[in-house]
Amino acid sequence: TVVAIVGSHRAGKSTIMNLLTKRNMRGFGVGHYMDPQTHGLWMRIREHPRDPSLKVVLIDTEGLDAPHVTQFYNWALSALTVLISNFFIYQSKGSIDSAATDRLDVILRVAEQIGHDTRSDSADKPSFLWLLRDHQLNMRKAPRQEMMEKLDSAAQSSLKRCFADADCFPLPRPVENDERFREMESL
């Protein structure tokens, strides 16, 4: 099983992936400076939590819109991640806004062009999760339903063609103040 995450730079993707490695905050590089810590794709392998005979590959990616990186590189890296994953996490901060939906739409279009007709069987397609970090607003409907309503029809169709299933999960900010946030690795 391959679990991969894509999203903006400096948004906590590495922290999420570290939490998936037996809740240990060390492993994927994290930092509290402006410069990105992850470049390209970083991988870690761990035992499956329910079946030790199986392995899970966790893939952390360089953040979208990282300084000195072209948009083509961002989209190609994201599309490659979609194509090699069994479980694809798209992370954004706050609410589902037009910038995040536009970014997802480009990732899906590039993934479709690269992997056209290679995953026609739904069993071969990955699952999709939109992870809303630091989400503080109430949702009027179930997160999955809100996600689908915020996507235009073309993005909804692409999502259905690229993924076996799709969901959305809001996460509140893990701590209240900035000081505790910087100390989160040691909490």
Side-chain angles (χ1 to χ4, degrees):
T1 301
V2 178
V3 178
I5 191 166
V6 167
S8 295
H9 78 287
R10 310 302 310 142
K13 294 178 307 301
S14 298
T15 298
I16 291 293
M17 296 310 274
N18 282 333
L19 290 171
L20 292 176
T21 60
K22 298 185 179 181
R23 304 195 58 79
N24 180 353
M25 292 297 288
R26 307 253 185 255
F28 291 108
V30 296
H32 299 289
Y33 300 100
M34 295 298 294
D35 296 327
Q37 299 295 305
T38 307
H39 302 281
L41 299 176
W42 288 19
M43 298 185 331
R44 293 200 69 199
I45 300 172
R46 67 162 288 194
E47 287 182 355
H48 191 283
R50 294 191 186 113
D51 185 351
S53 68
L54 297 176
K55 300 296 181 204
V56 177
V57 177
L58 300 171
I59 299 178
D60 188 14
T61 60
E62 184 169 353
L64 300 174
D65 301 326
H68 313 295
V69 174
T70 67
Q71 287 297 337
F72 176 80
Y73 176 81
N74 283 330
W75 307 138
L77 189 67
S78 299
L80 174 65
T81 306
V82 169
L83 294 171
I84 64 175
S85 65
N86 302 103
F87 194 87
F88 180 82
I89 302 169
Y90 174 64
Q91 177 184 282
S92 64
K93 279 188 146 186
S95 61
I96 299 172
D97 60 18
S98 63
T101 58
D102 290 348
R103 186 175 280 154
L104 176 61
D105 185 51
V106 172
I107 292 168
L108 293 172
R109 282 189 282 138
V110 172
E112 280 188 300
Q113 289 175 356
I114 292 173
H116 189 270
D117 290 335
T118 59
R119 290 184 173 187
S120 57
D121 183 13
S122 147
D124 294 334
K125 295 178 183 180
S127 294
F128 174 88
L129 175 68
W130 190 331
L131 184 62
L132 296 172
R133 291 288 307 272
D134 302 344
H135 187 269
Q136 299 180 33
L137 302 172
N138 291 328
M139 292 188 160
R140 295 180 193 267
K141 300 176 182 170
R144 181 187 187 286
Q145 191 174 358
E146 290 237 4
M147 171 188 72
M148 294 306 281
E149 288 179 3
K150 299 252 189 305
L151 296 174
D152 65 27
S153 60
Q156 287 179 21
S157 296
S158 291
L159 195 64
K160 290 174 183 171
R161 284 191 300 271
C162 288
F163 298 98
D165 54 20
D167 206 349
C168 179
F169 189 81
L171 277 179
R173 188 168 185 198
V175 292
E176 291 298 319
N177 62 47
D178 290 340
E179 186 65 31
R180 300 242 12 218
F181 191 74
R182 283 189 283 281
E183 298 169 356
M184 204 166 88
E185 291 177 49
S186 61
L187 295 178

